[in-house]
Amino acid sequence: MAEFGKGDPRWLVDDRADGRNVNAWHWTERDCTKWFKKTLSDALKDITLCSHGDCKAKEVEKLDGEMTYCNRKRKHMFFYEVELRLKWEANIDDTKITGQIRAPSICDEEPIESMEMRVTTTSKSQEGDILKKKLQQEAIPKLREVIKRVVGETLEHFKEPLPDEAMIKSKSQTQNTGVLIQQEKPTTTSKSMKNISMKLLFCSSPELMYQCLTDPQRLSFFTQSSAQMENKNGGKFSYFGGQVTGTNKTLIENKEIVQNWRFQSWPEGHHSTVTIKIQQVQGGTELSLEQTGVPISDFDRTHTGWKQHFWDRIQAAFGFTYKAL
């Protein structure tokens, strides 16, 4: 083995000054665990497992393990090993019967269609035995389908697009309520406005930053609320369960986003104009935001909201650290 720093120069790849991972050659790694656990738990909540006794999933008692996405030499790699324990409940002739379904190893090394799943019941009765068999026949195939779907959604959500590869957009959205603090609608009709201007440097690529701000699934994930986005000029958008709405005036992929943007609490018919420009620079991606026409009465909330509810949450959710310029 060659000494560190003394390898064959034909195989050494110098770091680029602009920090760009050209053609996805270098190793990149992203932790998918939090996303997967939340999405799977939501998908399993109150799901009907079998018709006999109206048997339903009551609680995800255990969901341990790790999921990691990696990209190296233009290859997508997805590694995971997770243990699932699900509590179920049924009612037969006014008698409640409970039990568990356990998947001891959901992993990338074994097809989900053939992974081991165990059904147990706390009832030592004939009805309990019948229900156990019904669950083995009906619930296990259904749970495998749910797990397979969520694993696929997780991969599509986190994988970094290759230069010649279109990002597949998932249609599922997180159905949570908004998280911004509701304010009373302003009673003033003052036309006094202020503008917001900020410039940031993110440790990410322009492609990923653009996706964070235009992909409805990513928007729903980092805002932890319902988000909708029509990715076209003239398309409508909605953030935080409808507290922020507007129209996309101009979308230039990986470069620029221009929107008519308003809080629900703003005077009827009033929109600000948000212009976000994205460009690759040395050390990461520079993002500049200009928002014109913000009511003075709501300036502080709007200015603070960009940092707290967008930039800080993108950093927390995807690991894209940033600093103000």
Side-chain angles (χ1 to χ4, degrees):
M1 181 179 293
E3 293 182 42
F4 181 77
K6 295 184 180 181
D8 188 332
R10 294 174 299 175
W11 296 98
L12 298 180
V13 181
D14 293 332
D15 290 336
R16 286 172 56 104
D18 60 9
R20 191 176 180 88
N21 187 7
V22 178
N23 291 328
W25 180 262
H26 296 287
W27 180 277
T28 60
E29 183 174 297
R30 304 177 71 187
D31 185 4
C32 313
T33 308
K34 182 178 178 181
W35 164 275
F36 174 79
K37 288 182 177 180
K38 183 183 186 307
T39 306
L40 182 59
S41 296
D42 290 345
L44 294 175
K45 186 177 180 181
D46 294 326
I47 187 174
T48 299
L49 299 173
C50 77
S51 56
H52 188 68
D54 191 27
C55 183
K56 294 184 177 181
K58 300 304 294 181
E59 180 186 356
V60 177
E61 294 185 322
K62 185 176 184 180
L63 189 54
D64 291 343
E66 295 181 348
M67 306 192 81
T68 304
Y69 161 76
C70 302
N71 186 349
R72 174 71 168 103
K73 295 183 179 180
R74 298 176 54 81
K75 292 182 180 179
H76 298 298
M77 291 168 280
F78 200 40
F79 305 108
Y80 56 92
E81 186 165 3
V82 178
E83 179 183 357
L84 168 67
R85 188 167 68 226
L86 182 69
K87 180 180 178 181
W88 56 263
E89 182 179 299
N91 285 281
I92 300 176
D93 298 330
D94 297 326
T95 300
K96 183 169 73 174
I97 300 177
T98 62
Q100 294 178 344
I101 297 179
R102 183 179 174 222
S105 181
I106 305 170
C107 67
D108 57 277
E109 296 179 352
E110 181 180 5
I112 293 174
E113 294 85 353
S114 60
M115 71 179 179
E116 179 184 6
M117 299 192 78
R118 306 169 186 169
V119 180
T120 60
T121 177
T122 57
S123 175
K124 297 181 179 179
S125 65
Q126 184 178 4
E127 282 297 339
D129 292 339
I130 293 172
L131 186 56
K132 181 178 177 180
K133 290 180 180 178
K134 290 285 187 181
L135 286 168
Q136 289 170 337
Q137 294 170 357
E138 299 180 28
I140 288 181
K142 182 178 294 187
L143 289 174
R144 282 176 174 155
E145 279 298 315
V146 173
I147 294 169
K148 184 177 180 181
R149 173 174 57 81
V150 174
V151 167
E153 289 177 0
T154 306
L155 173 60
E156 291 301 330
H157 178 81
F158 280 93
K159 78 175 185 179
E160 183 175 354
L162 300 177
D164 55 354
E165 183 178 62
M167 183 66 181
I168 300 174
K169 304 290 184 181
S170 174
K171 295 182 180 180
S172 63
Q173 296 180 2
T174 307
Q175 298 297 321
N176 290 342
T177 58
V179 294
L180 296 183
I181 298 174
Q182 292 280 7
Q183 291 190 349
E184 294 182 2
K185 293 188 177 182
T187 56
T188 178
T189 58
S190 172
K191 295 183 180 180
S192 298
M193 304 293 166
K194 291 185 71 174
N195 301 333
I196 294 173
S197 178
M198 56 183 67
K199 186 176 291 186
L200 311 162
L201 179 65
F202 279 89
C203 291
S204 179
S205 67
E207 293 85 357
L208 289 175
M209 290 308 303
Y210 183 84
Q211 290 163 16
C212 284
L213 297 171
T214 58
D215 175 20
Q217 189 175 5
R218 293 177 190 242
L219 284 161
S220 292
F221 180 60
F222 79 74
T223 63
Q224 294 295 288
S225 60
S226 176
Q228 299 175 10
M229 172 68 72
E230 295 179 349
N231 280 295
K232 60 182 180 180
N233 294 340
K236 305 292 185 181
F237 68 84
S238 171
Y239 308 144
F240 304 104
Q243 293 187 52
V244 175
T245 58
T247 305
N248 294 315
K249 295 175 66 177
T250 305
L251 294 177
I252 302 175
E253 189 172 7
N254 306 329
K255 292 183 179 181
E256 186 176 40
I257 300 167
V258 182
Q259 297 173 323
N260 285 332
W261 193 104
R262 61 174 271 111
F263 270 116
Q264 188 181 39
S265 58
W266 285 1
E268 188 70 27
H270 177 73
H271 287 77
S272 66
T273 298
V274 170
T275 302
I276 297 174
K277 295 185 177 181
I278 304 168
Q279 63 174 333
Q280 184 80 50
V281 297
Q282 183 173 352
T285 296
E286 181 181 287
L287 184 150
S288 64
L289 178 141
E290 297 287 337
Q291 184 172 13
T292 60
V294 178
I296 288 180
S297 60
D298 218 9
F299 177 82
D300 290 340
R301 175 174 73 137
T302 307
H303 188 278
T304 302
W306 281 109
K307 180 181 186 301
Q308 293 182 347
H309 298 297
F310 280 82
W311 318 136
D312 287 355
R313 291 191 177 194
I314 286 174
Q315 177 176 265
F318 304 114
F320 304 153
T321 57
Y322 78 95
K323 64 179 181 181
L325 298 177

